[in-house]
Amino acid sequence: MLRVLAVDDEEPALEELLYLLRADPRIRRAEGATGATEALRRIAGAVDAGPDDPAAIDVVFLDIHMAGLTGLDVAQLLAGFAAPPLIVFVTAHEGFAVQAFDLKAVDYVLKPVRRERLAEAVRRVAEQVGDRSAPVLDTAGDQIPVELGGVIRFIPIDDIAYAEAQGDYARLHTATGSHLVRVPLTTLEERWRTRGFVRIHRRHLVALGRIDELRLDAGSMSVRIGTAELAVSRRHTRALRDLLMRQTGR
C-alpha cells in the first residue's frame, strides 16, 4: 500500500490527479502540495521521521512546469537525500523525458492523465517499493524513453543497432523501426561508449555487435547493419578497423 504526495501548482490538475490516485486500491494515502517549496518541506519531514512514521512518503507524483522551482529542480534536490521517495513525473511536456530518467524517475506520464496510464505508473512504483532490497533499475542506463503517439515507452539500448544525427535530435534504429529522441548524438556517444557503441561518422553511432559486414571500396570504408549501409569517415576508419579486429580476436 503506497503513500503518495502529488505536486502541481494548478489546483484543478492536482485535484484530478488526486482523485485518480485515491481510486487505485494499491494506494493507502494520497495527499497534495501546490508548489515545490511546500513539497520539499513535507518530503524532508517525512524522510527525517523514517519509513514507519504516519507521514512517510513512498512516491512523489511531480509536475515539471511550476512557478519557482521546477519539478526537475525538486528531483535534483531529492537526489541528495539519504533515502528519498521515488519519483513519477506527470507533465504536459514530452521534451523533458531524458532529463527525467537521468534523475532516476520511475515513470513519465503525459497529461491529460489517463486512468490506465496512471495505473501502469502505480504498478511500476509498487514493484520497486515492494522489494527495497532489490537494486532500482537504472532506466537511463539500460533503456531510453521515446514518445510514441503521446505515450512514453522504453526502448532497451541493447535493441538499438545504430543512431543517426538529425540536428539536436537523434533517430534510433532497431530491428522493428526507428524512434526520434531529443538528444544530440554526441551525448549518446558519451553515454553509450561502454555499451559497445562507436562513432563511425559525424552522422552515425553504431553498435559494434550489430555490424554484419565491413566493406572496402577504392579506399573508402562502409559497414552493413541489416539492410542499411553506412559510410565510415576517414577519421574513424582506422579506429573502427582496429576495434573490429580485436573483437574477432584477429
Side-chain angles (χ1 to χ4, degrees):
M1 296 290 287
L2 301 173
R3 297 157 299 184
V4 175
L5 178 66
V7 187
D8 197 316
D9 63 351
E10 296 182 359
E11 291 197 23
L14 178 61
E15 290 302 319
E16 175 67 14
L17 179 57
L18 287 171
Y19 173 79
L20 294 173
L21 288 168
R22 288 166 180 162
D24 193 306
R26 294 165 293 187
I27 292 177
R28 177 194 305 177
R29 185 186 74 244
E31 299 178 346
T34 56
T37 301
E38 178 189 355
L40 286 168
R41 177 181 56 78
R42 294 171 67 170
I43 294 167
V47 170
D48 288 342
D52 297 324
D53 190 85
I57 298 169
D58 297 309
V59 58
V60 181
F61 283 75
L62 184 60
D63 189 21
I64 287 182
H65 277 295
M66 295 186 291
L69 293 175
T70 69
L72 295 173
D73 294 331
V74 172
Q76 288 176 334
L77 291 169
L78 292 183
F81 284 34
L86 300 175
I87 294 174
V88 173
F89 284 102
V90 183
T91 176
H93 304 276
E94 64 192 43
F96 297 96
V98 172
Q99 296 98 308
F101 288 107
D102 279 346
L103 292 166
K104 305 299 187 291
V106 176
D107 209 340
Y108 191 93
V109 179
L110 292 176
K111 296 178 180 179
V113 179
R114 295 183 293 109
R115 186 184 300 270
E116 298 80 5
R117 182 64 184 87
L118 188 64
E120 172 62 16
V122 172
R123 181 193 66 78
R124 292 181 178 182
V125 171
E127 285 183 353
Q128 291 197 17
V129 171
D131 188 5
R132 287 286 188 173
S133 63
V136 175
L137 175 66
D138 183 356
T139 308
D142 296 327
Q143 304 179 42
I144 185 166
V146 300
E147 191 273 332
L148 293 172
V151 177
I152 299 296
R153 300 192 185 280
F154 305 94
I155 303 299
I157 293 172
D158 290 342
D159 288 354
I160 298 168
Y162 67 96
E164 179 182 6
Q166 295 190 356
D168 291 333
Y169 292 72
R171 183 167 293 280
L172 311 179
H173 295 265
T174 70
T176 57
S178 67
H179 311 278
L180 192 66
V181 294
R182 193 175 182 177
V183 187
L185 199 66
T186 52
T187 300
L188 296 181
E189 180 184 9
E190 293 172 3
R191 293 180 182 177
W192 294 353
R193 185 176 289 114
T194 58
R195 302 187 68 99
F197 283 80
V198 61
R199 192 73 169 259
I200 65 167
H201 191 276
R202 62 182 177 82
R203 290 192 58 204
H204 292 119
L205 180 72
V206 305
L208 280 176
R210 296 301 189 97
I211 295 177
D212 298 310
E213 289 182 0
L214 181 65
R215 298 178 177 180
L216 295 172
D217 182 18
S220 63
M221 179 184 288
S222 64
V223 297
R224 183 177 65 82
I225 300 178
T227 59
E229 185 169 350
L230 309 175
V232 181
S233 67
R234 290 185 181 275
R235 64 174 294 199
H236 293 103
T237 295
R238 182 168 183 174
L240 176 63
R241 184 184 298 177
D242 290 347
L243 280 170
L244 290 172
M245 291 302 180
R246 288 200 299 270
Q247 190 179 53
T248 57
R250 296 178 183 177

